[in-house]
Amino acid sequence: MRIAFISLSSCNGCQVSFLTLVPWLQENGVEIVAEPFIDGRWSGERVDLAIVEGSVFNEEHVRILKEVRRNADKILALGTCAVYGGIQGILRLTLSGGEAATDPDAPRPVTPRPVSEVIDVDALLPRCPPPHRMLAGVIAGLLGIGGEPERLTGLSVCSQCRRKMKPIKELRFRVDFDPAEVDPDTCFLSQGIICLGPVTVGGCGAHCTGRIPCAGCAGPALDLVLMRGLRPVDKLAHVVSALSGRSYEEALEALEQALHGYLAHTFTSSSSLMLSKPRARIIEYVRR
Amino acid sequence: MERVILDLDRIEGEARIIIDVDGGFKARFIGLDYRAVERIMERQPLYRLPLIASRICGICFISHYIASLKEIYRLKGRRIEDGEAETLEYANTLQHIVDNLLHFFVMSSSDVARLTGKKDYVEQARKKALKLFTEWMMIIARAFGDPVHPMIGFIGSVPSMKEIRERTRGEERRLARETLSLTEEGLRLAEEMLREASSLYPGSNYTYIALGSRSLIAGAPVNPETGETIDPERIIRERRAAGHGYIRAVIHDPPYRAGPVSRLLAAGALNSSTLREYSNTPLIYHLARLLELRRELEMLAEDAAPEPGEVEARGLVEAPRGLLIHSYTANGELRVSVVTPTAINTIAIERDIENALNTIKPRDKKTIEEVAATTARAYNPCLSCAACLVHVRR
């Protein structure tokens, strides 16, 4: 079994997570033909599995991806950048390729986008980065070397959050907060602080939400992926409506007022999935 | 042959070195990634800034997180309590350990093997280092919830060292002892590399810059050779957005050098005459990195928590690669400036590539590429960090 790791525009954190699996993979007879930190760049050898991190930003990335598709039996798009464009996906909303070209010796920029919008991939594993045990399971499943591949989960970050949801008394929300003024055991949303936990796919362990609201780094929850018409703010409004006993419309208005001027979906703003949602207010927020 | 274009590998992110060969070697070091992280951060609530900052870099994520958090303490007018400072220093120490292990034994292994001629030995060391790296990442996961992009905490919720010790159960002591023996092997290799190659890879004059303390999170930037304090705002103003791809390089004469060599100078563990003895070579970065690693491991092996003392609320830390500045202003709209060690080192990297090529005078493309890559990698450049900060026309 042969693996290549390919890195595009990213923080390289998924690669660092993958590195922690290298000793285990080698003990299981997997040959790693290219890993950018260890061996340098992949040079086009045939592989059973190519793992791609990062999002597409320039012509060179497009060329590499097409070559990967021709030479890899299976491709895993790894991490939120590869699956949804990552934080740098904001470039799709704010810049055209020409505006970003500052150096004639750098590859020409293209519309920033996730890997799966350039080539077909065989598996998508979002999160920033995915927990390494989850990654190990997916790799093992794709290579057929045992392990339990990660199954689609309908659970959100809230399922692993230790805070308790409580009734919302007043429909007044804010995006920032003073830690001294919040109850450490109560759900942020219940305290009027916008948290993306309900609209973010679970499985990360909810390590952040003990201290700060979820920023959505793992990517959208499954219902948002499956229902094109459902926006994150719509789902948040349903949760707020249920917790406050007020109408969905009232909850939506209160949330949209609070979100105005902020980039709420920081990690997924360049994916066609998110951009295709109706009344995609994220664009207005960014172009303000 | 007029020009050699090298896409540098075994670094973090994407960089290209363009070398004009005719009439003496001239080098340009350019960043190819563009991630606009400063602008992304300007559209966020404050609590998210450390979290987004840690996504600038998947290797020095803790250093970015801490620099950002310290700057938010300043914006909020809050004091960093001693207990919080202790945890932040410990977290940054773990960051330095994993980065130093990864850089010397894994990413630079081809350079070390080529310059010492000990290919098999270096390969064995690389395998050991990868296993230890994995174990250290699991220590970070135990301490802060996740190995990559962990949650260090926010104002008022940074965990205490007592909590951290309960989570790690002292595993870092054992691991530090195991890693020390590999570090000693690395030190021997780095010294051998210096003996063999420092005259071939000479440096020139630099303005060294580091936080003027033994702590990795306390102090203000100084030139350790002169004792002069350097205002971080001046460094922000010295950035230029042209000529280095998507890097906003810091331009200063003589060029700045940040990183482990500067830190050792600041700590008095290295002096200028030793640097001159090794012709100011960039290869001394490898030795400095391992000397720091040994000190950090010895401290953890003895169960001695790092004690930073008074830590000012300001977005300054020593990342593994050098001084890292996060500076935010919030007069109505949030404005974010991030200066990374690689942006600070860019001009020194270019100058050292030219120095080495003009000393060795290689005639074939392969050797030109090897010399340039070895020189640049000695600085442990990170383009994920450095190349995302150019402001472009809206």
Side-chain angles (χ1 to χ4, degrees):
Chain A
M1 291 292 167
R2 289 155 61 87
I3 288 184
F5 194 100
I6 288 96
S7 183
L8 306 179
S9 183
S10 70
C11 76
N12 292 162
C14 290
Q15 189 184 166
V16 171
S17 190
F18 174 77
L19 269 185
T20 66
L21 299 177
V22 166
W24 167 75
L25 285 166
Q26 288 174 333
E27 282 161 18
N28 280 278
V30 175
E31 184 190 353
I32 297 160
V33 300
E35 202 295 325
F37 289 166
I38 301 176
D39 317 286
R41 288 191 179 83
W42 175 67
S43 52
E45 304 98 320
R46 187 85 207 159
V47 290
D48 298 287
L49 174 64
I51 302 174
V52 183
E53 76 164 353
S55 62
V56 175
F57 171 61
N58 60 40
E59 285 178 339
E60 185 66 5
H61 294 153
V62 174
R63 185 194 66 73
I64 290 167
L65 282 180
K66 289 183 176 168
E67 197 178 343
V68 170
R69 185 64 280 178
R70 282 195 297 276
N71 291 289
D73 289 346
K74 290 177 182 169
I75 297 174
L76 167 65
L78 173 62
T80 303
C81 293
V83 178
Y84 296 114
I87 54 171
Q88 61 274 11
I90 190 178
L91 296 168
R92 184 160 177 172
L93 306 179
T94 57
L95 301 171
S96 69
E99 283 178 311
T102 63
D103 197 315
D105 289 316
R108 215 153 59 99
V110 297
T111 304
R113 54 200 191 273
V115 168
S116 59
E117 291 183 28
V118 176
I119 54 166
D120 288 335
V121 299
D122 301 276
L124 300 149
L125 185 60
R127 298 177 186 81
C128 184
H132 71 286
R133 284 203 183 98
M134 188 185 282
L135 175 57
V138 170
I139 293 173
L142 286 168
L143 291 176
I145 57 169
E148 276 292 309
E150 172 68 8
R151 295 181 194 287
L152 282 174
T153 175
L155 297 175
S156 71
V157 169
C158 301
S159 67
Q160 292 180 305
C161 180
R162 65 172 177 77
R163 289 172 180 264
K164 298 270 185 295
M165 277 188 169
K166 291 181 181 172
I168 296 174
K169 291 173 187 156
E170 194 181 0
L171 283 189
R172 183 178 290 177
F173 291 94
R174 56 196 191 278
V175 291
D176 219 334
F177 76 106
D178 183 340
E181 292 173 3
V182 299
D183 176 0
D185 300 318
T186 301
C187 161
F188 280 110
L189 211 51
S190 299
Q191 300 184 70
I193 299 155
I194 291 179
C195 173
L196 298 187
V199 295
T200 301
V201 67
C204 62
H207 304 297
C208 302
T209 56
R211 295 184 166 84
I212 58 171
C214 173
C217 73
L222 188 59
D223 46 3
L224 288 155
V225 175
L226 297 177
M227 294 173 67
R228 189 168 170 173
L230 184 67
R231 299 174 306 159
V233 72
D234 298 327
K235 189 179 172 190
L236 278 179
H238 282 295
V239 176
V240 168
S241 175
L243 289 173
S244 65
R246 305 282 286 273
S247 71
Y248 162 79
E249 286 76 15
E250 286 176 295
L252 184 63
E253 189 184 344
L255 286 166
E256 288 201 322
Q257 265 182 12
L259 278 169
H260 186 73
Y262 286 95
L263 178 63
H265 314 296
T266 314
F267 291 81
T268 58
S269 54
S270 78
S271 77
S272 293
L273 169 78
M274 300 305 277
L275 289 172
S276 69
K277 290 184 180 293
R279 295 177 293 134
R281 292 287 294 276
I282 50 174
I283 296 176
E284 292 171 38
Y285 297 152
V286 172
R287 288 187 176 156
R288 181 174 64 100
Chain B
M1 185 167 48
E2 291 177 351
R3 196 174 225 212
V4 173
I5 297 175
L6 167 66
D7 284 341
L8 188 60
D9 59 12
R10 298 180 180 89
I11 59 160
E12 206 188 348
E14 299 175 80
R16 180 168 286 175
I17 302 172
I18 296 162
I19 301 156
D20 289 321
V21 175
D22 293 344
F25 293 96
K26 291 293 287 179
R28 225 157 50 86
F29 182 75
I30 68 173
L32 306 184
D33 276 326
Y34 175 55
R35 299 177 60 232
V37 176
E38 285 172 329
R39 262 173 87 188
I40 295 160
M41 291 170 76
E42 288 168 355
R43 292 284 188 271
Q44 303 293 325
L46 285 184
Y47 79 82
R48 276 195 193 170
L49 296 186
L51 197 100
I52 304 288
S54 82
R55 266 72 181 185
I56 291 175
C57 181
I59 290 190
C60 49
F61 40 84
I62 291 177
S63 301
H64 275 285
Y65 191 104
I66 294 171
S68 179
L69 182 60
K70 282 183 68 195
E71 184 66 358
I72 292 174
Y73 270 85
R74 186 188 66 76
L75 272 186
K76 295 266 190 187
R78 297 279 291 267
R79 182 179 178 275
I80 300 173
E81 303 296 336
D82 291 351
E84 292 172 319
E86 204 180 329
T87 299
L88 297 180
E89 179 86 34
Y90 169 82
N92 208 18
T93 302
L94 291 181
Q95 181 77 100
H96 278 238
I97 288 170
V98 292
D99 186 78
N100 286 335
L101 262 178
L102 187 64
H103 182 261
F104 181 79
F105 291 103
V106 179
M107 293 160 88
S108 296
S109 59
S110 59
D111 301 322
V112 179
R114 189 172 67 81
L115 294 177
T116 62
K118 294 184 169 170
K119 195 178 171 194
D120 293 343
Y121 186 71
V122 171
E123 174 62 21
Q124 288 307 312
R126 188 180 79 173
K127 284 183 177 163
K128 281 187 217 169
L130 261 179
K131 284 189 176 165
L132 290 165
F133 169 80
T134 299
E135 289 198 58
W136 279 108
M137 292 298 280
M138 294 309 119
I139 295 284
I140 293 175
R142 278 192 192 184
F144 301 107
D146 200 90
V148 184
H149 304 318
M151 169 45 59
I152 315 289
F154 193 56
I155 294 175
S157 64
V158 174
S160 68
M161 277 309 295
K162 184 168 175 281
E163 283 175 75
I164 299 291
R165 284 185 196 290
E166 281 168 8
R167 293 177 196 168
T168 62
R169 295 187 214 106
E171 267 295 292
E172 63 269 52
R173 259 180 100 172
R174 172 195 64 78
L175 197 51
R177 285 195 292 270
E178 277 185 35
T179 313
L180 266 169
S181 66
L182 180 67
T183 305
E184 294 296 345
E185 288 179 40
L187 276 164
R188 285 193 287 276
L189 286 169
E191 282 165 358
E192 192 173 333
M193 202 161 47
L194 279 178
R195 281 196 303 274
E196 296 292 327
S198 60
S199 61
L200 297 174
Y201 289 80
S204 44
N205 293 324
Y206 308 94
T207 306
Y208 288 93
I209 183 167
L211 292 181
S213 75
R214 287 186 70 86
S215 159
L216 299 172
I217 63 168
V222 295
N223 176 341
E225 289 191 302
T226 63
E228 177 204 1
T229 301
I230 301 172
D231 181 0
E233 293 303 319
R234 185 173 103 193
I235 301 167
I236 292 169
R237 287 195 300 275
E238 287 175 329
R239 292 181 298 172
R240 297 289 178 271
H244 298 92
Y246 298 112
I247 305 174
R248 194 152 31 148
V250 179
I251 310 292
H252 189 84
D253 188 25
Y256 288 119
R257 253 187 178 180
V261 173
S262 306
R263 286 194 291 268
L264 289 186
L265 283 169
L270 192 66
N271 57 46
S272 301
S273 60
T274 309
L275 288 178
R276 279 196 296 276
E277 189 185 321
Y278 287 115
S279 46
N280 273 329
T281 177
L283 298 180
I284 203 163
Y285 269 73
H286 292 297
L287 181 73
R289 208 165 275 130
L290 290 165
L291 288 170
E292 273 198 328
L293 178 61
R294 181 168 68 183
R295 184 176 73 84
E296 288 151 359
L297 292 169
E298 282 171 349
M299 185 173 60
L300 293 184
E302 288 161 17
D303 209 15
E307 291 176 7
E310 178 87 11
V311 175
E312 189 188 359
R314 193 162 192 192
L316 302 167
V317 303
E318 282 290 341
R321 298 165 166 93
L323 178 66
L324 170 64
I325 302 168
H326 278 241
S327 175
Y328 311 153
T329 54
N331 301 325
E333 285 201 347
L334 181 67
R335 285 281 169 255
V336 172
S337 295
V338 179
V339 187
T340 66
T342 301
I344 293 173
N345 283 331
T346 294
I347 305 301
I349 292 171
E350 282 179 350
R351 185 170 287 185
D352 285 354
I353 291 169
E354 289 169 1
N355 289 337
L357 289 171
N358 285 313
T359 303
I360 296 169
K361 295 187 170 48
R363 291 188 178 176
D364 62 292
K365 182 170 178 279
K366 183 170 176 280
T367 312
I368 291 172
E369 289 179 347
E370 276 177 354
V371 171
T374 297
T375 308
R377 271 196 294 261
Y379 280 88
N380 191 5
C382 174
L383 280 302
S384 299
C385 287
C388 52
L389 307 169
V390 169
H391 277 260
V392 296
R393 182 168 55 85
R394 288 180 190 234

